[in-house]
Amino acid sequence: MSHLDRRQALKLLAALGGTGLAAACSTDTGTVAADGGPVSDQPVRIGLLAPQTGGYKPIGDEIVKGFQLFLDLNEGRLGGHPVELVQADEGETAQTGKAALDGLLKQNVLALTGVVNSSVMLGIRDAVEQAKVPLVGSNASPSTLQSVVYIWRTSYVNDEPGRAIAPYVAGKVPRGQKVAIIAPEGQSGRDAVAGFQQAFGAADPRIAAPVLWTEFSTNPGKGAFSAKIEQLQDRNPDAIFCFYAGAAAVEFVKQLRGSGYRKTIYAPGFLTEGTVLNELKPEEAEGIFTALNYSADLNNAANRRFASAFRKAHGASPTTYAMASYDAAQVLNKAIRIAGTRPTPQQVNLALGNVGQIDSPRGPWQFNQPRTPQQKWYLRKVQRDGQLLSNVLINELATLG
């Protein structure tokens, strides 16, 4: 190097100062990520648990699509870091979910996301807490999941859909009429029913008791609900509240309508979400009212971008499952950015408490103290949208969380 080159180099280093020297020793490439922060060449590994088999596979597919869409729109990065997304099959039981989690933890993931089944979430709770690896769950959120440090959720608490829609139902069912409740025996079903009963008024004489509990199954066969539906019909209710999702939702609605029931159905939005409407006839689905934290009809900038990109990528409208997974990626993006150039799981978990408001397709929300969203809930009604059935947004119901 010439004397002039050395002098120029010294001037350059002096101009850079301490900040420039620190940057030269970091992994920043000097370019800017889609979120406006610096780009790093230090990769991060994220573990995604979702059902790849069984009756919940369609929901699992939506969760994968939502998370991947955020990566696709952000150059495959979270917090400026290139992402290695490692997927594991959650399966249908707590045991299969625990095995999937163990496999991901052995791969030294920085953070976890996904989880559809509430029994799986409860089954892996202690393992996640002991591993001290943050889990940003994007679906399952049982009400009994409390006092956790490393588990966050971008979806809802299971009792909230019932709590959101109950006052609306109470305003629509006159005194002297009856509302029957039917749901699967299991954590999610019990949570949804409890939320509805508490918000409606457990002692209200309009609720026909007792609750009709059906056997829990992610993929029930034809006739699986016939005995309980016959008991429901014997009560001659003026409306029903129910909780089913995925393949079970399809089969329940088909069997209920096949029994001759033509009155109003109210439910959490999972009854008509995702591929469910594709498998129901108009006369089976039209007129069903549901409560959910998202509608593809929402008119805000974040949803226009998200829904447009999702439709372009998949040829279908996005679901709440995809939206919550997209938001899980948003949350991790902000937390990893806060955690710095060489983030650890513990640093990311600490940063999750400081991500602030999320500009979500569902509308702005933020984490509350139990690590779940404080968010709006919406009333939807199944109607024809051209030749297709759609969950049409009616109005806001409540802000919960």
Coordinates of all heavy atoms in Angstrom, one line a residue, residues 30-66:
G30 N -24.7 -3.8 4.8 CA -24.7 -2.5 4.4 C -26.0 -2.1 3.6 O -26.2 -1.0 3.3
T31 N -26.7 -3.1 3.2 CA -28.0 -2.9 2.4 C -29.1 -2.8 3.4 O -29.0 -3.1 4.6 CB -28.2 -4.0 1.4 OG1 -28.2 -5.3 2.1 CG2 -27.1 -4.0 0.3
V32 N -30.3 -2.5 2.9 CA -31.5 -2.3 3.8 C -32.5 -3.4 3.5 O -32.8 -3.7 2.3 CB -32.1 -0.9 3.6 CG1 -33.3 -0.7 4.4 CG2 -31.0 0.1 3.9
A33 N -33.1 -3.9 4.5 CA -34.1 -5.0 4.4 C -35.5 -4.3 4.0 O -35.6 -3.1 4.1 CB -34.3 -5.8 5.7
A34 N -36.5 -5.1 3.7 CA -37.8 -4.6 3.3 C -38.4 -3.9 4.5 O -39.3 -3.0 4.2 CB -38.7 -5.8 2.9
D35 N -38.1 -4.2 5.7 CA -38.7 -3.5 6.9 C -37.9 -2.2 7.2 O -38.2 -1.5 8.2 CB -38.8 -4.4 8.1 CG -37.4 -4.8 8.6 OD1 -36.4 -4.4 8.0 OD2 -37.3 -5.6 9.6
G36 N -36.9 -1.9 6.4 CA -36.2 -0.6 6.6 C -34.9 -0.7 7.5 O -34.2 0.2 7.6
G37 N -34.7 -1.9 8.1 CA -33.5 -2.1 8.9 C -32.4 -2.7 8.2 O -32.5 -3.1 7.0
P38 N -31.2 -2.8 8.8 CA -30.1 -3.4 8.1 C -30.2 -4.9 7.8 O -31.0 -5.6 8.5 CB -28.9 -3.1 9.1 CG -29.6 -3.0 10.4 CD -30.9 -2.4 10.2
V39 N -29.5 -5.3 6.8 CA -29.5 -6.7 6.4 C -28.3 -7.4 7.0 O -27.2 -6.9 7.0 CB -29.6 -6.8 4.9 CG1 -29.2 -8.3 4.4 CG2 -30.9 -6.4 4.3
S40 N -28.5 -8.7 7.5 CA -27.4 -9.5 8.0 C -27.3 -10.7 7.1 O -28.2 -11.2 6.5 CB -27.8 -9.9 9.4 OG -26.8 -10.8 9.9
D41 N -26.0 -11.3 7.1 CA -25.8 -12.5 6.4 C -25.9 -13.7 7.4 O -25.6 -14.8 7.0 CB -24.5 -12.5 5.6 CG -23.3 -12.2 6.4 OD1 -23.4 -12.3 7.7 OD2 -22.2 -12.0 5.9
Q42 N -26.2 -13.4 8.6 CA -26.2 -14.5 9.7 C -27.6 -15.1 9.6 O -28.6 -14.5 10.0 CB -26.0 -13.9 11.1 CG -26.0 -14.9 12.2 CD -24.7 -15.7 12.2 OE1 -23.7 -15.3 11.8 NE2 -24.9 -16.9 12.6
P43 N -27.8 -16.4 9.2 CA -29.1 -17.0 9.1 C -29.7 -17.3 10.4 O -29.0 -17.5 11.4 CB -28.8 -18.3 8.2 CG -27.4 -18.6 8.5 CD -26.7 -17.3 8.7
V44 N -31.0 -17.4 10.4 CA -31.7 -17.9 11.6 C -32.6 -19.0 11.2 O -33.1 -19.1 10.1 CB -32.6 -16.7 12.3 CG1 -31.7 -15.6 12.8 CG2 -33.6 -16.2 11.3
R45 N -32.8 -20.0 12.1 CA -33.6 -21.1 11.9 C -34.9 -21.1 12.7 O -34.9 -20.9 13.9 CB -32.8 -22.4 12.2 CG -33.6 -23.7 11.9 CD -32.7 -24.9 12.2 NE -31.6 -24.9 11.2 CZ -30.4 -25.4 11.5 NH1 -30.1 -26.0 12.7 NH2 -29.4 -25.4 10.6
I46 N -36.1 -21.2 12.0 CA -37.4 -21.1 12.6 C -38.1 -22.4 12.5 O -38.1 -23.0 11.3 CB -38.2 -20.0 12.0 CG1 -37.5 -18.6 12.1 CG2 -39.6 -19.9 12.7 CD1 -37.2 -18.1 13.4
G47 N -38.6 -23.0 13.5 CA -39.3 -24.3 13.5 C -40.8 -24.0 13.4 O -41.4 -23.3 14.2
L48 N -41.5 -24.7 12.5 CA -42.9 -24.5 12.3 C -43.6 -25.9 12.5 O -43.4 -26.8 11.7 CB -43.2 -24.0 10.9 CG -44.6 -23.5 10.6 CD1 -44.6 -22.5 9.4 CD2 -45.6 -24.6 10.2
L49 N -44.5 -25.9 13.5 CA -45.3 -27.1 13.8 C -46.6 -26.9 13.2 O -47.3 -26.0 13.5 CB -45.4 -27.4 15.3 CG -44.2 -27.9 16.0 CD1 -43.4 -26.7 16.5 CD2 -44.7 -28.7 17.2
A50 N -47.1 -27.8 12.3 CA -48.4 -27.8 11.7 C -48.8 -29.2 11.2 O -47.9 -30.0 10.8 CB -48.4 -26.8 10.5
P51 N -50.1 -29.5 11.3 CA -50.5 -30.8 10.8 C -50.2 -31.0 9.3 O -50.6 -30.2 8.5 CB -52.0 -30.9 11.1 CG -52.2 -29.8 12.1 CD -51.2 -28.7 11.8
Q52 N -49.5 -32.0 8.9 CA -49.2 -32.4 7.5 C -50.0 -33.6 7.1 O -50.0 -33.9 5.9 CB -47.7 -32.6 7.3 CG -46.9 -31.4 7.6 CD -45.4 -31.7 7.6 OE1 -45.0 -32.8 7.3 NE2 -44.6 -30.7 8.0
T53 N -50.7 -34.2 8.0 CA -51.6 -35.3 7.8 C -52.9 -35.2 8.7 O -52.9 -34.4 9.6 CB -50.9 -36.7 8.2 OG1 -50.5 -36.6 9.5 CG2 -49.7 -36.9 7.3
G54 N -53.9 -36.0 8.4 CA -55.1 -36.0 9.2 C -56.1 -34.9 8.9 O -55.9 -34.2 7.9
G55 N -57.1 -34.9 9.7 CA -58.2 -34.0 9.5 C -57.9 -32.5 9.6 O -58.6 -31.6 9.0
Y56 N -56.8 -32.1 10.3 CA -56.5 -30.7 10.4 C -55.4 -30.3 9.4 O -54.9 -29.2 9.4 CB -55.9 -30.5 11.8 CG -56.9 -30.3 12.9 CD1 -56.6 -30.7 14.2 CD2 -58.2 -29.9 12.6 CE1 -57.6 -30.5 15.3 CE2 -59.2 -29.8 13.6 CZ -58.8 -30.1 15.0 OH -59.8 -30.0 15.9
K57 N -55.1 -31.2 8.4 CA -54.1 -30.8 7.4 C -54.5 -29.5 6.7 O -53.6 -28.7 6.4 CB -53.9 -32.0 6.5 CG -52.8 -31.7 5.4 CD -52.6 -32.8 4.4 CE -51.5 -32.5 3.4 NZ -51.8 -31.3 2.6
P58 N -55.8 -29.3 6.2 CA -56.1 -28.1 5.5 C -55.8 -26.8 6.4 O -55.4 -25.8 5.8 CB -57.6 -28.2 5.3 CG -57.9 -29.7 5.2 CD -56.9 -30.3 6.3
I59 N -56.0 -26.9 7.7 CA -55.6 -25.8 8.5 C -54.1 -25.6 8.6 O -53.6 -24.5 8.5 CB -56.2 -25.9 9.9 CG1 -57.8 -26.0 9.8 CG2 -55.8 -24.8 10.8 CD1 -58.5 -26.3 11.2
G60 N -53.4 -26.7 8.7 CA -52.0 -26.7 8.7 C -51.4 -26.1 7.4 O -50.5 -25.3 7.4
D61 N -52.0 -26.4 6.3 CA -51.6 -25.9 5.0 C -51.7 -24.4 5.0 O -50.9 -23.7 4.5 CB -52.4 -26.5 3.9 CG -52.1 -28.0 3.6 OD1 -51.1 -28.5 4.1 OD2 -52.9 -28.6 3.0
E62 N -52.8 -23.9 5.6 CA -53.1 -22.4 5.6 C -52.0 -21.7 6.5 O -51.5 -20.6 6.1 CB -54.5 -22.1 6.1 CG -55.6 -22.5 5.2 CD -55.6 -21.6 4.0 OE1 -55.8 -20.4 4.1 OE2 -55.4 -22.1 2.9
I63 N -51.6 -22.4 7.6 CA -50.6 -21.8 8.4 C -49.3 -21.7 7.7 O -48.6 -20.7 7.8 CB -50.5 -22.6 9.7 CG1 -51.7 -22.3 10.6 CG2 -49.2 -22.4 10.5 CD1 -51.8 -23.1 11.9
V64 N -48.9 -22.7 7.0 CA -47.7 -22.7 6.2 C -47.7 -21.6 5.2 O -46.8 -20.8 5.0 CB -47.4 -24.1 5.6 CG1 -46.2 -24.0 4.6 CG2 -47.2 -25.1 6.7
K65 N -48.8 -21.5 4.5 CA -49.0 -20.5 3.4 C -48.8 -19.1 4.0 O -48.2 -18.2 3.4 CB -50.3 -20.6 2.7 CG -50.5 -21.9 1.9 CD -51.9 -22.0 1.3 CE -52.1 -23.3 0.5 NZ -53.6 -23.4 0.1
G66 N -49.5 -18.8 5.1 CA -49.4 -17.5 5.7 C -48.0 -17.1 6.1 O -47.6 -16.0 5.8

